[in-house]
Amino acid sequence: MIPSIKSPVFRIPIEPLNQTSFAPFGTVIQNPDHAPPSTTPPLSVTANQGSATKYLDVTKLSNFYHLAPSKNPASPVVNMFVCAPRPLRPHQVPHGMEPAFDVRLLERHPYTPQIFIPVGLARNDPSTCYLVVVAPTLPAAPPRPEVLTRSKPYPTPDPEPKKQSPFERARPEPFTNSTAPPPATRPLPPEMPKGPGMPDVRRLRAFVANGSQGVTYGAGTWHAPMVVIGAEKVAFVVLQYANAVGNEDCQEVEIVPGKEGEWPYVVLSGIGRDTLVKAKM
């Protein structure tokens, strides 16, 4: 049975996908020439007899399955997801009706990043929009006062929490539970996995991407399944590690609608080119 979590009804604002805003959740993969000027480009070298620029280490595919309870070894996996446009519903706005997408389910891969790379798409093709919907991770349980005074390189959950996360047994150690730096004598590397807590649905964020952008969800990052909102299917090459243990490879949480009978939602100001243009403002 999939765990569930209640959420108030609220509108999730759309943001443009760029590395600065997406950094707490993972990595944006794109040609630095198309990135915002404020983005620091990765290191590069000349390649292909001087005809190409090779950008180094644009994202990380780390393997944290040695932290999994089963200890089953994981292997790198390369799949292709061909994602159809998602059904949208009409939503009333002051000037009329706009399409909206309801966020009803989140998932995460606690021991591996997951890299999505769209293929065969043009940067400005109006039919290649997709949404990247993510949420921070809540702490598994409030730490006791004595825990807060410990000097450790990662936060330590209460060993006897009053309300245990359904994924507590799949806890990766060490871990970071939120977008804020943990109380520690030194910060964790940004690629370390998130903790075992449930998603913080009140802080859901939605980014709009175009066909020239790939995305890496950091290990343990709560995210919605891919949401294509353009006119055509979008094919993604997807890279990750997996060990064939279901609850260690993928964990899901259903979002239960609030008393109004509705879910958190993203309002789209248009499909295709209109969405892309407004996202760049």
Side-chain angles (χ1 to χ4, degrees):
M1 183 176 178
I2 299 176
S4 62
I5 187 169
K6 288 187 177 181
S7 172
V9 179
F10 65 99
R11 177 173 175 172
I12 308 167
I14 281 184
E15 307 173 50
L17 181 64
N18 61 64
Q19 185 54 51
T20 300
S21 56
F22 191 69
F25 307 101
T27 307
V28 177
I29 306 169
Q30 68 181 135
N31 183 343
D33 291 343
H34 301 158
S38 59
T39 303
T40 302
L43 296 175
S44 63
V45 296
T46 301
N48 288 8
Q49 293 77 49
S51 66
T53 301
K54 177 181 178 181
Y55 292 98
L56 308 177
D57 207 21
V58 296
T59 193
K60 293 185 181 297
L61 183 59
S62 304
N63 179 5
F64 296 103
Y65 276 88
H66 62 284
L67 304 173
S70 73
K71 303 302 179 183
N72 278 22
S75 301
V77 177
V78 181
N79 296 314
M80 176 174 282
F81 285 58
V82 180
C83 302
R86 291 296 196 98
L88 305 174
R89 64 168 177 84
H91 180 78
Q92 183 70 49
V93 293
H95 58 276
M97 303 295 287
E98 293 283 4
F101 175 76
D102 294 321
V103 180
R104 303 189 183 197
L105 183 134
L106 296 173
E107 64 179 49
R108 68 175 171 193
H109 312 279
Y111 303 105
T112 178
Q114 189 179 42
I115 303 172
F116 281 78
I117 303 174
V119 295
L121 306 178
R123 176 170 177 252
N124 295 319
D125 186 338
S127 67
T128 61
C129 304
Y130 64 96
L131 288 180
V132 176
V133 180
V134 290
T137 301
L138 290 167
R144 297 195 303 263
E146 61 268 27
V147 172
L148 294 176
T149 63
R150 297 174 186 168
S151 178
K152 287 195 173 186
Y154 54 87
T156 303
D158 191 330
E160 297 180 358
K162 293 182 180 179
K163 186 175 181 181
Q164 191 177 47
S165 163
F167 301 119
E168 180 70 16
R169 290 186 178 181
R171 177 175 72 244
E173 293 275 5
F175 59 86
T176 175
N177 277 329
S178 69
T179 58
T185 55
R186 61 181 178 82
L188 286 172
E191 68 270 15
M192 292 303 293
K194 303 295 191 299
M198 298 290 274
D200 187 351
V201 293
R202 295 175 182 270
R203 295 168 63 198
L204 279 163
R205 295 175 69 179
F207 301 87
V208 63
N210 62 53
S212 74
Q213 295 176 304
V215 64
T216 300
Y217 297 110
T221 296
W222 287 108
H223 62 276
M226 188 55 69
V227 182
V228 171
I229 56 174
E232 305 291 339
K233 294 179 180 179
V234 177
F236 297 89
V237 172
V238 180
L239 299 86
Q240 64 187 93
Y241 278 88
N243 72 348
V245 177
N247 197 48
E248 294 177 356
D249 283 338
C250 184
Q251 299 171 353
E252 295 179 333
V253 167
E254 288 183 339
I255 297 179
V256 176
K259 60 182 180 180
E260 300 89 346
E262 297 179 357
W263 290 266
Y265 61 92
V266 182
V267 172
L268 308 174
S269 55
I271 300 298
R273 187 173 298 278
D274 290 341
T275 302
L276 286 173
V277 171
K278 292 188 178 182
K280 293 177 183 176
M281 290 181 179

